[in-house]
Amino acid sequence: MANSNEQTSIATALVRGIRKRCPRCGEGQLFSGYLRQTPSCSSCGLKTGDIRADDGPPWLTLLIVGHFLAPLMAITFMTDALPLWLSTAGMVIFAIGLCLTVLPRAKGAFIAAIWKLDAQNSVDITEEA
């Protein structure tokens, strides 16, 4: 299974990450909780627990949610179909729900991309005295 990284395409790895599955085999769970990574895949043994996505998933989540929310807000607030308090409450609930839905999938996609591109080993930061 050492060559599985070469056999899996980037698109396949990203789709598996978005589905919150192991990017190599697509069988094992990528997360043991909402955002907590499993140390390794239960199916193929890929160690995904050491892959750090850092600030990428929140950035992607805000980018996606903003593109859904901005036009919806413009349309809703330009028309006076609903009272302002109801429109605002609806937007807040929609934004929170969409953020909670997108964030783990964005993290899965970033983990899959980092694994596929072997980016976790490409940067070696050392302190020089």
Side-chain angles (χ1 to χ4, degrees), residues 60-85:
L60 183 61
T61 299
L62 289 176
L63 187 69
I64 292 170
V65 171
H67 278 86
F68 278 104
L69 204 58
L72 189 60
M73 287 176 64
I75 292 168
T76 303
F77 291 135
M78 289 176 74
T79 62
D80 292 330
L82 296 172
L84 185 60
W85 68 269

Side-chain angles (χ1 to χ4, degrees), residues 8-123:
T8 305
S9 71
I10 186 74
T12 302
L14 285 174
V15 169
R16 288 174 179 169
I18 290 169
R19 291 179 52 225
K20 301 187 286 183
R21 299 285 182 182
C22 171
R24 179 163 64 185
C25 69
E27 298 293 322
Q29 293 288 332
L30 193 55
F31 301 111
S32 61
Y34 177 66
L35 289 175
R36 185 178 309 239
Q37 294 169 238
T38 57
S40 62
C41 176
S42 60
S43 181
C44 69
L46 176 67
K47 295 189 183 306
T48 57
D50 296 334
I51 300 174
R52 295 184 50 190
D54 293 335
D55 294 335
W59 169 81
L60 183 61
T61 299
L62 289 176
L63 187 69
I64 292 170
V65 171
H67 278 86
F68 278 104
L69 204 58
L72 189 60
M73 287 176 64
I75 292 168
T76 303
F77 291 135
M78 289 176 74
T79 62
D80 292 330
L82 296 172
L84 185 60
W85 68 269
L86 188 58
S87 297
T88 304
M91 292 297 152
V92 168
I93 292 169
F94 178 72
I96 291 171
L98 196 55
C99 283
L100 292 175
T101 303
V102 172
L103 185 59
R105 286 158 180 79
K107 185 171 181 177
F110 267 86
I111 290 170
I114 291 168
W115 168 76
K116 177 61 185 163
L117 300 173
D118 201 25
Q120 74 268 18
N121 297 327
S122 64
V123 177

